[in-house]
Every structure is written in C-alpha cells, then in structure tokens.
Amino acid sequence: MPQYANIAVSILFDGLAYAMFLFITSVGLSVTMGLMNFVNLAHGAFAMIGGYVVVSLTRSYGVGFVPSLIIAAVLVALISVRFERRLYRRFYRATDLEQVLLTIGLAFMAIATFTYFYGPIPKSVPLPDWLQGSVNLGFRSFPAYRVFMIAVGAALIAVLWYGFERTNVGAMVRAAVDNRRMAESIGINVDRLFTLTFALGSGLAALGGGLAIQLLGLNPNFALLYLVLFLIVVAVGGLGSLKGTLLAALVLGIIDTGGKYLLADAGGFFIYAVTVIVLLLKPAGFYGRE
Amino acid sequence: MAASEKSRELAATGARERAAGYLVGRHRFRPAEALPWLLAIAAFFLFPDRMTFGNQALIMVMFALSLDLILGYAGIVSLGHAAFFGVGAYTVGLLIARLDWSEPLSSLLAAAMLSGLIGFVTGWFILRYRGLTVIMLTLATAIMLQEAGNLRSDISGGYDGLPGLVISPLFGIFDYDLYGHVNYLYVLGVLAVIFYMVRRIVYSPFGQALTGIRENVRRMHAIGSPVHRRLVTVYTISAAIAGVAGALFTQTNAYVTLTVFDFDNSAKVMVMLILGGTGRLYGAFIGAVVYMMLEDHLSKLSPTFWQFGIGLLLILAVLFAPRGLLGLVEEISRKSWRRGRAGAARRLIWKGEHWTVLAGSAVDGAAIGFIVGFAANFGQAHLLSEYIASLPGRALAFTCFGALVATAINAIYLAFTSRAAAEDRGS
C-alpha cells in the first residue's frame, strides 16, 4: 500500500476510535441538555469516576475488564440519579451562570476527592490478552483495542438509535426535547423522563471514561480536560440530537486525529477552529433547532 | 374626580422625581467607598514584606473588575476571559523580549489596545449568539490563542515562556526594588484609574442600557436599543481592561508563560467575582482579595483540599449567597433576615415533609460516603488483605461523614428556602 494511503487509513481508523469515545461520553450530555437546558459541567466528572471504578475493580479486585466496564456504568448511573434528585433538580429554572457555577463546583470537588485517594499520577488498566495484540482485517492489521472500541461504539449507536427512534420512551424523549410544555400537557412525565435519561447519560459517560483509560490515560483532571471536548461535540452537534452528536463526534474525532498526525505542533488547534467555524455558520449546531 | 386625578398626577410626579433623583444621585461617591482604597494604602505600610502578594491581589481585582463589566452588568457568561489577560501579558512580554521596548506605561497602552482589538473582533461574532454557544465560543477563543502561541513557540517561548523580562523605570525615574514597593504603588495607581473609568461607565446611560440587556433583552430590542453594538462595546472595553491586568502581571512578575491562557485562569477569576458578588463594583475587590488570601494559606497546606474547598465554596455560594459576600453582608445587616431565618428554622422542626427530605438526604449521603470509603485508597493499597482489614472502619467512618454532610447541607438549605416558599404560598 502506498505511504499516504496507509497514513490516511490510520487517521481514519484512529479517528473513528476516538470519535466513538467522544460519542459515547457526550451523547448523554446532549440529550439532558436538550431536555432541560441544563448546563452540566460535572459530566466529565462522571466519566472520570467511571474510569476510576474500572481501575479499582480490575487492579484491586481482579474483576475482568469488560465486566468492570459494565459495573462502572451501572454504579455511576445510580450515583448520578441521586445527584439529579437532590441537587440538580433545584436548578432547572436557574440561570446559565448558576448552573455553570454549581456543576463546575461539583467537578472541582470530584477532582480533589479523587486526587486525594488515587494521586495525580495517570493510571492504567490491565487488559485481557485478546485486547492487547492486533487484529488482521485482511488488507492490514489494526490494534485490537481500537477495533474493540469501534465495535462497542457501533453496537451502542445501534441500540441507542433503536431506543430513540423506535420505542415509546424514545418517542417521548424526542417529543420533550422538541417542545417540553406540549409534551407535558399531553401527559408525558418529563421529570421522570429526565431522571431516566440523566442516569443513562451518566452511565454511558462512565463507560466512555473506562474505555478511554487505555487510549488517553486517566488522572483526576480528566474531568475538566475532556469536558471541553464533550461540550464542543454537544454544541456542534446540536442539543438533544442523536444524529448531530454522532456526526459531530465523527467530524471532530477524525479532524483532531488527522491534525495531530500531520501537524503535531498545531496540537488541538484544528478542533477549535472547526468548532468556531461551525458555530458561526450554524449557531445551534448541525441538527439543533435555530 | 378632578381632585383625585390631580393627586394621582402629583403622586406620579413625586415618583418620577424620586426616580430621577435616584438616577442623578446614585453615582455620587459615598464615604464607605473610600474604605477599600484606604485599606490598600494601609496594607502598603503595615505589610511591607508582603508586597508581592499584594501586587497579585490588586492585579486579580482588576481582572475580576473587567469580568464584572460583562458578566455582572451585561450578563455575558464567558468561560474564556483569560484570553484577553493572556493577550495583554504577551503584548508586554513580546515587546520587551523581541523588540526591546521596555517602557512600562506605553506597553500598558499597547496591551490595552491589542486586547481591546481582539475583544472587538471576537465579540463581534460571538455576541450575536446566546447561552451555551457564547460559553463555548469564549472558551474556544482562549484555547485557540493558547494553541496559536504553542504553534509559534519560536516567538512566544511556548510553555517555557519568556523569562527574565525587565521593565524600564517608571517615568524614567522610579526603579523597581526587589520587594515590589514601587510595583505595588504603580499597580494601585493603574487600578484606581481603571476603577474610575469602570465606575463612570456603569453609572452612565450606557451602563443602564447594559443592565437592561441583562434583565430583559427582548424589551431592549423592542424599545430600539442597539443591543449588539452595546454588547460589543462593553466586551471590547472589558477585554482592554483584562489586557491591562495581564500586562501588569507580566511587568510585576518579570516572566510570562502560556499558562496565562489556561481554563483555570478563566474559572478562577469567575469564582472570585461570584464570591464577592457580581454587578456591584466592589464585589471584585472583596472576592479577589478573600480568594487570594484563602489560596495563599490553604494551597500551601494542601492543594488538593484547596481545590475541594473552591468547589464547595462555589456550590455554597450558589445555594446560599447568590449575590456574593457583599450581598450576604447586606442581607445580614437587614434585621428581618435573622428573625425570618430563625423562624424558618423553628418551623422546620415541626414539618413532616422536611423530615422526609432530611432522612432521604442522610441515606444518600451515607450511600455516597460508603462508596467513596469502599473505593478509597485502592490506588495505594499494596496488599489486598491489608486493605480488607482496614475496610469496615473506614467505610463506616465515610458513611457517617457522608450522611452528616448531606443532612447538614439540606437542613441549612431548607431553613433558607422554606420562608420564601411559605411566602409564595401565602401570596
């Protein structure tokens, strides 16, 4: 294979794996923001907590990698419900600023707590053998872990798409995002719907956090470092849109990976440039309502 | 009929006169306003060995003041205000390091102009939008400037920064001493000038229009106010002031690195302003000074606890003192506050629904405490058996602690809100 084709395939492949991480982690944020207009800057903290649960389970309890991912997602989903019920609920009608302050305060507290218990040094997870080597896909071989990530991402996209577009609950969520008052007046319990999607979103964020350890490393600052990326994906994709989040994750994931491959010095410049251009042209994002 | 009409007219004129009197008189200097300045001068004589700290505090006051203009008065939520602080800091740094231009006042002016220009250009685009889009675009502006600096690290010095920047004596006469005495007075002087300008802006008809935009943008559009132009103007001014603060930062520290563009810097200045109180001029003073003093003491003890503390502080501020420390002081100084709160606390005891809330939060706190205690020290435990042996005690302690904290926060919250709720029901 020619050199540049090889690089192009690498960029596409790595970008795809990265995009899956972005999608899995951001989709919950997008839906909860679309539903309640709630700016949740603690979303990255849920992802970080998920990552540390996976680290703890695999390292100290010897649980397998895949089961710990699932346990982490469920555990964080349960914790997040309590936060939503007790704290967030009071701020749905508050201003953007109050929501930003409250949730960034939570993120700071989470970072400090995990720095205290786990230290600031990045953690890694022991992977099972079948995720360590590389997989030959016929024309060339790819790292098995990234193949695994893409597979998980694709499976989740299929499940979420089915749930969102083909089930009753999904229809209710879409209706509530479209017009919350109308949805409430025809008897949809938007509050309960929100709790449900919030739990699901936080659980997915935890799953994304667990998956990202191997790819990006995990230290407590993860909560704020990648939060900016999740917010960008949500803003570029359009609030409350599954399609938009997926498209934004793919575009940004591949462009960011490409930028880092081809122009290492420019670092994260591209992703922000794309964000600014998209938001200037379409302030509500790809599939957001104007 | 005629008589009642006349008296109504009289009352209307009276109200109009009172309103006019308020508008005319509110900008007059009150004696209490001299206090912060007197304190700043007193600090110069009382703590001659803490001038470096004093410098940083004054610079942060200026930075917070610039954010107050857009956040407190015009209601623009920016998570990237460090962009302009950084532009100002780098203008001075590059003038000295690359062009050998070290005269302090003219470089301040250059910093103000450049950051004002960047504020104008970015503001022109950003301020057409609202809400999350604005937050994201301001954030992206700061990060892009940082990345641009990193990209051309041959000019900017990258993350190693520009060290050893020496500025010329002020007015060609006053040289800078090691202890920062001259610096302190220099920064204080610049702050006084800037503060006077900001105060004039805030109390001008322009400032009044900004408050209108913050309170109800639709109505401002409806009465024909050029909203976008007003917002861009104030954003430009705010950017220029932030640039001056950044320029002073470089001049007094004699170095600058790309970390001035960090998200942490943007978040920090916002925390300061919120802590002090937005939209009230002196909130920036109290917030920045209290924050810097807390940071100075606590972050030396443990940076981790300090970060936890800021988080907690933010949440408490949003829950209990949405108008900042100054707002809280105002409220407490009103007598009714105490009586009202005490009454609410008494009523709280008799209300069954509150007990359910408290019991629920105790269970939540206990559960989260248990999970944290269970997970605690996984990272450091070397032997699983050792870990398990210590587990019951720790999990129990964390459970109790979690329950206690959650119950306490909710109890205070209920005491604060139940009176308002009772009033709502009553009306």
Side-chain angles (χ1 to χ4, degrees):
Chain A
M1 208 176 335
Q3 183 70 33
Y4 53 87
N6 211 352
I7 291 175
V9 170
S10 295
I11 289 174
L12 273 180
F13 182 77
D14 287 359
L16 203 59
Y18 189 46
M20 288 306 132
F21 157 67
L22 288 178
F23 174 76
I24 295 170
T25 326
S26 317
V27 66
L29 189 63
S30 175
V31 174
T32 47
M33 272 180 160
L35 264 183
M36 285 290 181
N37 263 325
F38 188 85
V39 184
N40 181 15
L41 299 190
H43 193 73
F46 287 124
M48 182 265 288
I49 294 172
Y52 274 109
V53 172
V54 171
V55 167
S56 288
L57 286 174
T58 48
R59 288 218 166 259
S60 302
Y61 278 104
V63 183
F65 180 66
V66 176
S68 13
L69 281 178
I70 296 167
I71 296 174
V74 173
L75 198 64
V76 170
L78 289 177
I79 294 177
S80 76
V81 168
R82 300 321 298 170
F83 270 98
E84 195 272 328
R85 288 266 137 181
R86 288 274 167 239
L87 200 59
Y88 284 24
R89 183 140 297 219
R90 291 165 185 166
F91 287 89
Y92 290 154
R93 287 181 192 182
T95 57
D96 282 355
L97 177 66
E98 283 174 317
Q99 295 173 349
V100 163
L101 295 172
L102 176 85
T103 51
I104 217 168
L106 280 178
F108 278 153
M109 284 169 75
I111 291 174
T113 309
F114 280 81
T115 313
Y116 180 72
F117 289 124
Y118 290 86
I121 301 155
K123 296 276 177 218
S124 60
V125 277
L127 289 179
D129 291 338
W130 58 275
L131 281 177
Q132 277 176 354
S134 55
V135 177
N136 199 335
L137 291 185
F139 59 104
R140 63 170 274 192
S141 58
F142 295 100
Y145 190 76
R146 285 172 204 246
V147 174
F148 169 69
M149 264 189 90
I150 294 174
V152 172
L156 275 174
I157 291 168
V159 170
L160 284 176
W161 178 82
Y162 182 81
F164 214 62
E165 302 285 337
R166 289 284 182 273
T167 66
N168 233 339
V169 179
M172 285 199 249
V173 172
R174 277 181 290 133
V177 169
D178 246 13
N179 189 335
R180 187 166 151 220
R181 284 183 152 181
M182 199 62 195
E184 273 173 342
S185 65
I186 57 167
I188 295 175
N189 188 342
V190 176
D191 264 10
R192 193 180 302 159
L193 209 58
F194 184 74
T195 309
L196 189 76
T197 49
F198 191 84
L200 186 69
S202 307
L204 284 176
L207 179 65
L211 282 171
I213 306 171
Q214 179 67 18
L215 215 59
L216 308 165
L218 176 74
N219 70 358
N221 270 327
F222 188 92
L224 282 184
L225 202 61
Y226 289 97
L227 172 72
V228 179
L229 284 182
F230 307 150
L231 283 171
I232 284 179
V233 170
V234 170
V236 167
L239 297 185
S241 162
L242 198 70
K243 243 188 329 190
T245 311
L246 179 59
L247 184 61
L250 285 173
V251 168
L252 294 171
I254 290 174
I255 285 182
D256 193 44
T257 311
K260 280 176 181 157
Y261 258 89
L262 301 174
L263 274 168
D265 289 338
F269 189 80
F270 290 101
I271 201 164
Y272 297 103
V274 171
T275 307
V276 168
I277 293 167
V278 170
L279 288 185
L280 288 179
L281 295 176
K282 287 185 77 79
F286 287 142
Y287 287 99
R289 281 165 303 132
E290 299 286 331
Chain B
M1 285 303 271
S4 78
E5 219 165 79
K6 193 162 189 188
S7 73
R8 208 182 301 149
E9 209 169 274
L10 266 178
T13 338
R16 214 176 295 138
E17 266 168 14
R18 271 201 305 282
Y22 166 74
L23 284 175
V24 170
R26 68 194 182 119
H27 70 277
R28 291 202 186 103
F29 279 96
R30 292 177 295 277
E33 286 187 69
L35 195 64
W37 302 100
L38 290 177
L39 284 176
I41 294 168
F44 178 73
F45 293 105
L46 290 176
F47 307 104
D49 52 337
R50 301 299 314 276
M51 284 299 105
T52 320
F53 173 76
N55 265 328
Q56 301 307 314
L58 290 180
I59 289 168
M60 290 321 283
V61 168
M62 194 183 299
F63 191 20
L65 198 61
S66 75
L67 184 67
D68 199 16
L69 258 187
I70 58 165
L71 180 68
Y73 287 94
I76 304 166
V77 183
S78 165
L79 276 183
H81 212 48
F84 307 116
F85 187 86
V87 168
Y90 264 91
T91 309
V92 172
L94 292 174
L95 276 178
I96 302 177
R98 306 287 177 234
L99 299 173
D100 273 332
W101 183 271
S102 58
E103 204 283 315
L105 287 175
S106 58
S107 7
L108 271 195
L109 202 65
M113 279 164 56
L114 192 60
S115 44
L117 181 70
I118 292 184
F120 175 77
V121 174
T122 56
W124 183 268
F125 291 109
I126 293 174
L127 295 170
R128 285 190 290 163
Y129 311 118
R130 306 185 52 75
L132 180 68
T133 316
V134 171
I135 298 179
M136 291 318 304
L137 285 173
T138 51
L139 189 62
T141 310
I143 299 176
M144 277 175 75
L145 283 169
Q146 189 174 38
E147 292 290 345
N150 193 31
L151 192 60
R152 296 308 306 271
S153 51
D154 50 328
I155 299 173
S156 70
Y159 281 93
D160 297 331
L162 302 168
L165 306 168
V166 181
I167 50 172
S168 313
L170 189 59
F171 303 123
I173 308 167
F174 303 108
D175 210 347
Y176 301 95
D177 51 310
L178 191 59
Y179 305 101
H181 292 131
V182 173
N183 267 333
Y184 184 80
L185 294 179
Y186 168 55
V187 174
L188 189 61
V190 176
L191 178 63
V193 173
I194 299 260
F195 178 77
Y196 181 71
M197 279 166 45
V198 171
R199 200 175 181 285
R200 284 296 292 264
I201 292 170
V202 163
Y203 289 133
S204 69
F206 170 68
Q208 202 59 21
L210 293 180
T211 315
I213 293 169
R214 181 192 70 198
E215 291 298 321
N216 192 336
V217 71
R218 281 192 193 158
R219 186 167 293 182
M220 291 307 280
H221 276 300
I223 63 169
S225 175
V227 171
H228 183 246
R229 203 165 73 207
R230 297 262 184 278
L231 288 177
V232 173
T233 311
V234 75
Y235 198 72
T236 308
I237 297 170
S238 167
I241 296 174
V244 173
L248 290 171
F249 177 82
T250 306
Q251 290 182 343
T252 54
N253 285 315
Y255 73 86
V256 57
T257 73
L258 281 177
T259 50
V260 287
F261 289 106
D262 272 354
F263 174 68
D264 280 3
N265 208 10
S266 300
K268 190 164 123 176
V269 70
M270 184 175 270
V271 175
M272 288 177 183
L273 186 62
I274 299 305
L275 193 62
T278 53
R280 39 180 67 238
L281 287 178
Y282 288 96
F285 285 71
I286 299 212
V289 172
V290 168
Y291 182 98
M292 295 288 286
M293 277 159 63
L294 284 174
E295 185 183 42
D296 191 45
H297 285 97
L298 295 179
S299 70
K300 264 182 222 154
L301 284 179
S302 154
T304 310
F305 277 124
W306 168 231
Q307 194 176 30
F308 190 85
I310 313 174
L312 193 62
L313 215 59
L314 270 178
I315 294 175
L316 292 179
V318 178
L319 282 174
F320 305 130
R323 296 189 299 136
L325 283 175
L326 270 182
L328 200 63
V329 170
E330 265 173 27
E331 247 191 279
I332 289 173
S333 64
R334 279 194 222 115
K335 248 184 172 174
S336 63
W337 188 85
R338 274 190 176 157
R339 234 182 297 137
R341 291 299 184 271
R346 263 200 305 282
R347 273 199 302 281
L348 178 69
I349 300 170
W350 304 109
K351 273 204 178 145
E353 52 182 305
H354 287 156
W355 283 113
T356 355
V357 172
L358 288 185
S361 54
V363 172
D364 280 355
I368 291 170
F370 178 77
I371 291 169
V372 172
F374 197 70
N377 275 342
F378 269 148
Q380 279 124 22
H382 297 297
L383 284 171
L384 194 59
S385 55
E386 192 182 289
Y387 179 77
I388 290 173
S390 69
L391 193 61
R394 187 166 43 219
L396 188 69
F398 271 92
T399 309
C400 294
F401 181 72
L404 205 69
V405 169
T407 317
I409 291 180
N410 273 281
I412 302 170
Y413 181 80
L414 285 175
F416 264 76
T417 51
S418 59
R419 190 171 66 114
E423 278 166 6
D424 286 349
R425 273 197 295 275
S427 61

